[in-house]
Amino acid sequence: MYKIKREDLPALFQKIAADQELYLPVSTAGQTNFGVWREEAEVDLDTLKTVKSPKDVFFPQSETLYTCYREGKKLSVEPETLKEQDFVVFGMKACDIKGVEVLDRVFLSDPIDTFYAARRDHGTIVALACHEPEETCFCKVFGVDAAHPAADVAAWMVEDTLYWKPETEKGQKLTEKLADFLEKAEDAGSETAVAEEEEKIRSIMEELPYSHLSLEGWNGDVLMEKFESPLWEELYKPCLACGTCTFVCPTCQCYDIKDYDTGQGVQRYRCWDSCMYSDFTMMAHGNNRTSQKERFRQRFMHKLVYFPANNDGMYSCVGCGRCVEKCPASLNIVKVVKAFQEKEGAKA
Amino acid sequence: MSIEAREEFKPKIVAFCCNWCSYAGADLAGSSRLSYSADVKIIRVPCSCRVNPMFILRAFERGADGVIICGCHPGDCHYTSGNYYARRRMTLLFSMLDFIGVENGRTRVEWVSAAEGVKFSQTMHEFVDKITSLGKNVRLEDLRCRKS
Amino acid sequence: MTDKKKQAELIREISGVNPLKCMKCGKCSATCPSYNEMDIKPHQFVSYVINEDIESLVKSRSLWKCLSCFACVQRCPRDVKPGKLIDAARQIVERQRGGDYLSPDEIPELLDPEIPQQLLVSAFRRYRR
Amino acid sequence: MQEIVNRAKELLADGTVKRVLGWKAGDLPYNPEPAYFEKEEDLEEFVYNGFCGANLSKYMIEASKMEGKTLVFLKPCDTYSFQQLMKEHRVDREKAYIIGVGCKGKLDIERIRRMGIKGIKSIAGANLEDEAETLTIVTLYGEKEVPYKDAMLERCHVCKGKDHMIFDEIIGESKETKDGDRFAEVERIEAMSPEEKFAFFQKELSKCIRCNACRNVCPACSCRKCVFDSNKFDSAQKANVDSFEEKMFHIIRAFHVAGRCTDCGECSRVCPQGIPLHLFNRKFIKDIDELYGEYQAGADLEERGPLTSYQLDDAEPGIVAERS
Amino acid sequence: MLRIGVFVCHCGSNIAATVDVKKVVEMALHEPGVVHAEDYQYMCSEAGQEKIRAAIQEKHLSGIVVCSCSPRMHENTFRNAAERAGLNPYMVEIANIREHCSWIHKDMEEATEKAVILMRAAVAKVNLNTPLQPGESRVTKRALVIGGGIAGIQTALDIADAGYPVDIVEKTPSIGGRMSQLDKTFPTLDCSACILTPKMVEANAHPNINIYTYSEVEKVSGFVGDFTVDIRKKARSVDMSKCTGCGVCQEKCPSKKTPSEFNRGLNNRSAIYTPFAQAIPNVPVIDREACIKFKTGKCGICSKVCQAGAIDYEQKDEIITEKYGAIVVATGFDMIKLDDYDEYAYSQSKDVITSLELERIMNAAGPTGGHLERLSDGKAPKEIVFIQCVGSRCADNRGKSYCSKICCMYTAKHAMLIRDKYPDVNVTVFYIDVRTPGKNFDEFYRRAVEEYGVNYIKGQVGKVIPQPDGKLLVQGADLLDNKQILKEADMVVLAAAIEPNPDVRKIATMLTASIDTNNFLTEAHAKLRPVESPTAGVFLSGVCQGPKDIPETVSQAGAAAVKAIGLLAKDKLLTNPCTAHSDELLCNGCSQCANVCPYGAITYEEKEVNDHGIREVRRIAVVNEALCQGCGACTVTCPSGAMDLKGFSNRQILAEVDAICR
């Protein structure tokens, strides 16, 4: 394990950023999101949850796939190159890392998404334990340990010291590179400090209102029963059909592929899509989900039923609680789970 | 910007002209041989009220450096009131563009009647000068449209 | 550019007048109080400028006979302002002599009782606009 | 609140209305959601407190298509939106039974979070009946006291007033909460240099994730299909791929609601990225007031909107350059 | 995608001298969709049109772009050519590479580059064109003539003779206009009244003509073939059906201090008056501003003396609403005000008069009974000076930039008449140029000089100085002798500029007819359509279109009548197919479009729609294509983009924008 004083972090960031991109929580006009480190950037390590999850480091909100150029009546195609440079993501939280695991399931299984794979290969994740978890957090439900994130490097901020523990080969490599900045911390004091912090975090997690949410009954076996439940009819009503939940979510992976006419040709790009949108999966014949109820159901069925059914029981929710915080109509996955629980509980 | 560079800058200017007054005014400028910069390209619309803010933003998106809308003088609209609506719409739109920091000289509305060939050519002169002095539109441009 | 042309250009520049606008109506000459004193008449100023013969204009008697009353400027229907043309010719002469602009502080010093009131009035008229 | 619930039960019971549109208590102290109640017993979950900021008038578009009357609770500012929607034939007055509810300013959980308050367990003082001027917030990390005013939504600081524009009956008193100048922020930006203005909006809009929450919550954005979802102008956009698109979306959205926007402030309330979107609308409102005479959308049913009317001597577009 | 043909016109050397037409052709072939491109000397010629026809048929073209002159010139020519070849005429687009390009640019490279871009924009647009079918609208077989001067009377007579009913609306109490104020007419010296009065009588008696005097047009709506006009008949206070025109009321009227409009204020008239003896209708009006009865409630003498009991103090303004198929504007002119020309002492001396005032003085029915005398002291003048171009040909903002056209001739007429009747009077004319184009016009002017000894001096007058003895000192220039002239005169006559009747602006606005900065109505084409306004169904007669003398006015009046008759003779008109239409799946039914539609062409209906499987009844905008004129105001008001305009659709315009910015 290593450590570094909080006040020395800017120097560390500068060192990392010297020859590669460094993504970390940056505050812009009052909101914190993951962004590229720059000298003048306002780094914010205190905000627990960035507005958007850091998934766009690996799966950007929009990325160009190829560009066509037009000259007279001739067209030429120029594909986009894959990510070739290494980069570091600093300050990801345990839930977000779990989110990346979910994305891996989607993009790294056959057929492999080469754009995503290239980014995963070149990225090193330095994760930060959640110092003060909030009432909207429920990662515990999905077996995430907020106290000890599973990343290339795990880190803890205890008072004014950052403890740094490389846990993979990638992490080791990065650590070596930063040897001049990181101080060895193999003393008992450091071990204790980290252990205490972990303990503290875990005990808070126990106390959180959502931490004991039960997901019993959410699996592929009950697909039709859940699908046909009359509850959806009530639950979806307040939904505004905006895409906030999907765009802040660390696991939502749906995208659309669109063309942009640049005047001299066409740029084909993909961008995040939202199952909440009326033109989601729109096809020539129309749309197979014509009502908001169906679209709303899709999102939760996917996260809690379809995904685990196809991925060895792994839910595609990680309990980060962003949707809980951001839904304009105060809807969220917890309310959905609870509503079913109540109804099914009443039935039993 | 150096003088040479300024001379090289050829602004792209889109002029929306209403069919009844301003397009005819431009025709008159032509038949009177009143020259103005070739950087101005005219699009014929039935009335200034046909000009949607989307058209103007689209022009900027595609790299236009200035957009001018010409219509009949207030009170002379072929459709009675079209230019009155256009006047309000454009005033508000221009004000919004100004508000978000787009140089306000990039947009202009001018009323040019079918008899005002001279005014048309003068207006285009002035507008081209203004846009040339403002230089390339960079604040309202979609970078994807830039020629590589 | 020839010298002649330059001089004519200079007159146009100083006066801000486009002599080509003249329609030869003669209202300037009709209205001029110094007409009879002049060798080159006000309506002719224009053609001298057009023909780039500033030399003659500068040497003319009219140059110093014009009172700068600006009646011609006021009445000219074509905005040609012959008075401004002759005034510009005078300025060319003044500049050649080295005189050019006065700073406002210098003016009071130059005002002595010998100066005819007319000159002052003329100056006011001239610089009114 | 009990009075509201009782009245709703009465109206359901006597068949005046088929359903009630109100707010349902959430599972956290601050997240009630808009909800329909069809049975009297369901109303046990009804809540009306400081966190019921959601403007229910837009839900009435859908409710107008349902069978029978819907009882809807509208705050004073919500009634402007409802009336504007009526003017545009988007809601059916006959299908609505409007109870105007009192309001003493609505709370902004984001503002509370920005004060560094996290791990919220309970919040006291947010109910309409509470006399306290402060909120007492119990958190995992200790108890905090916050003046009610400081936790209010921006829009409540520039409240349009305590009067309901349209209603069948009124329950509850409202409180004057206005303590700010509605156009102060707009004026501050207007006074900036073009470069500063551009930097300001570039920074704000760069946060936009195109979730469309602002549009979807907006009662004036009531299009069946938004131009940004259709190909009518080749304008369908799902992401802001270029900074142009951020501006395009917000300028056009503001333009489309200009003269129709009641300044209800829902756009800024729901923006997950905290972009002060209301500034666009207020800029238009300020211009309209200054150039064409004061106009409040939704204040009446008759007056023509400023963009669908004109005066012979309206200002010329050149005034924009003259003013700046 | 369409199969597009691009045709590039040389227009002789008009285009080809500045634009490399071959290059335009070559570049056109690179454009997507273009399968054919060629250039030709004159595309609008028979042979040029034949090329288009042949290409359409041989290459199976489905869209045409003609790079030529303005679409305002030949769009119809090429549309018709396309139609004859079996292509929908609306599949044709014009790239204006003459007026907007070759004529204004000198540099070949620059002009060619621009022509290519204009061609591209047209190709981009035509790619999105769809075949359009015009609808039909009916024609109301009735014409309205606004103005009852010689122009209006002649137009009305010609239309009426062709068998169509015509209404004349005249603002003053009588028809007759300016011509009725004139004494003699050039170049034949006919008595003006002698030739005008029979026409007035004829118009009054014509079964197809209905005259509304003392009336004004209040409101115009509708469009070609189907205008609806509100006419305000001002209260005359005299019952036209009862009045016998005996004139006793005017004689007895005690209020006789109002300046006579007809005599240009040179003398006074009574409060109840007919403007002149031959007035038609010969029914007086009460000037309520001047009438003692109206001002104080007492008097009522006219009512007492009227045998016919025609006086009606209670009469109210009446609004008559009538439908017309065609409208002719004949609002005429007035003299400019001379306030800004005080160097000529018009306001200082009664003996400085305008030419029109001289007409009244020379006229036997005028204030002096036809005697030439000074208005100041009644003495016969011995020296008269005429000053030309007062307020005409002015580049400053005091006067008018144009030549008033009639002054040279009427001044020659005046000079001649004075010298003829009063040989002892000396007449001097200060002129800038004498302009006498016209049949027998220059001969007329030469006679004034050669036979009548009128003294013409080339030069302008700078100043007229009234002398204490009542004489007028005229200071002028003689440019030919290079002399300044000081001349004492007894009378000075100013040839003041004429200007369109100031009311014409109001009328043009109502008609949506375009008007120029001098308030002359604009013609559809300066040469080829001189009597038509660009607004369909509106025609121009007389000086409202530009300065004219009587013969010209009368011939233009006839031409305007022919155009109106040509319109009225049709039973139906093809309407412009470029109308708005609403996409029912996108329409919100919000009524904003209906609020801005100037024609009331948008209504709403409850309609069941099938929106991708969702069936519901929605309130949807419906456009009445016969009423829609295609301005597009609704398309911008519509936030969802449901409203679009055929022929100028959103996507078409965007395609042009894109092509230009490419």
Side-chain angles (χ1 to χ4, degrees), chain E residues 252-278:
Chain E
K252 302 290 185 196
C253 177
S255 166
K256 289 201 161 63
K257 289 276 162 58
T258 311
S260 157
E261 292 88 354
F262 186 74
N263 282 328
R264 304 299 290 180
L266 299 179
N267 66 352
N268 293 335
R269 60 158 169 84
S270 46
I272 184 165
Y273 72 105
T274 44
F276 55 100
Q278 303 93 326

Side-chain angles (χ1 to χ4, degrees), chain E residues 338-339 341-342 344-350 352:
Chain E
L338 292 173
D339 301 349
Y341 285 91
D342 218 37
Y344 298 133
Y346 179 72
S347 69
Q348 299 158 43
S349 167
K350 279 184 140 185
V352 179

Side-chain angles (χ1 to χ4, degrees), chain A residues 24-135:
Chain A
L24 74 183
V26 168
S27 168
T28 308
Q31 303 287 323
T32 303
N33 286 285
F34 274 79
V36 178
W37 184 86
R38 278 188 203 88
E39 195 101 41
E40 68 279 10
E42 227 180 284
V43 176
D44 173 13
L45 298 178
D46 296 325
T47 299
L48 181 75
K49 291 175 215 183
T50 52
V51 181
K52 270 193 296 182
S53 84
K55 79 176 171 198
D56 55 358
V57 170
F58 301 106
F59 172 44
Q61 182 157 14
S62 76
E63 67 186 316
T64 306
L65 303 178
Y66 64 75
T67 311
C68 296
Y69 295 98
R70 199 186 86 174
E71 212 163 305
K73 287 175 180 166
K74 286 199 195 89
L75 283 179
S76 57
V77 178
E78 201 174 280
E80 203 66 23
T81 49
L82 300 177
K83 186 89 180 172
E84 283 168 347
Q85 301 83 31
D86 287 342
F87 63 94
V88 173
V89 196
F90 182 92
M92 274 175 79
K93 300 292 177 345
C95 52
D96 294 335
I97 290 161
K98 178 83 173 177
V100 175
E101 224 180 285
V102 173
L103 296 183
D104 286 351
R105 286 269 180 167
V106 179
F107 292 125
L108 299 184
S109 55
D110 212 33
I112 290 171
D113 184 302
T114 51
F115 286 85
Y116 180 83
R119 285 202 170 80
R120 284 290 281 130
D121 283 350
H122 290 282
T124 304
I125 300 175
V126 179
L128 205 52
C130 300
H131 177 59
E132 286 186 334
E134 296 177 6
E135 76 278 9

Side-chain angles (χ1 to χ4, degrees), chain B residues 12 27 44 50 58 89, chain E residues 70 75 517 637 650 658 661:
Chain B
K12 278 183 195 164
D27 279 358
R44 183 164 70 132
R50 179 68 187 91
R58 171 71 152 253
R89 289 170 187 160
Chain E
S70 171
E75 190 170 53
T517 42
T637 297
N650 292 326
D658 289 358
C661 296

Side-chain angles (χ1 to χ4, degrees), chain D residues 245-266:
Chain D
E245 286 186 335
E246 293 155 8
K247 292 182 210 110
M248 171 88 170
F249 175 77
H250 292 290
I251 293 171
I252 294 296
R253 199 182 86 76
F255 188 83
H256 281 176
V257 302
R260 303 164 52 233
C261 166
T262 64
D263 202 7
C264 76
E266 285 285 90

Side-chain angles (χ1 to χ4, degrees), chain A residues 238-298:
Chain A
C239 175
L240 293 170
C242 75
T244 307
C245 51
T246 43
F247 288 176
V248 298
C249 180
T251 69
C252 272
Q253 73 281 120
C254 295
Y255 60 80
D256 194 4
I257 295 183
K258 297 175 79 72
D259 288 342
Y260 177 79
D261 178 0
T262 67
Q264 294 100 45
V266 165
Q267 215 172 63
R268 171 154 292 186
Y269 65 99
R270 72 163 165 197
C271 62
W272 295 352
D273 203 347
S274 170
C275 48
M276 293 290 154
Y277 290 169
S278 58
D279 57 351
F280 179 71
T281 62
M282 175 76 102
M283 288 167 276
H285 87 284
N287 202 323
N288 45 9
R289 283 180 283 271
T290 53
S291 73
Q292 194 56 30
K293 180 187 111 180
E294 291 165 302
R295 295 189 276 268
F296 181 86
R297 176 177 62 195
Q298 165 66 20

Side-chain angles (χ1 to χ4, degrees), chain A residues 311-323:
Chain A
N311 291 280
D312 317 317
M314 183 196 221
Y315 291 108
S316 65
C317 173
V318 296
C320 73
R322 284 189 177 87
C323 54

Side-chain angles (χ1 to χ4, degrees), chain A residues 215-226:
Chain A
L215 288 175
E216 210 189 306
W218 289 93
N219 52 54
D221 303 341
V222 294
L223 197 151
M224 285 320 287
E225 190 191 319
K226 285 273 188 307

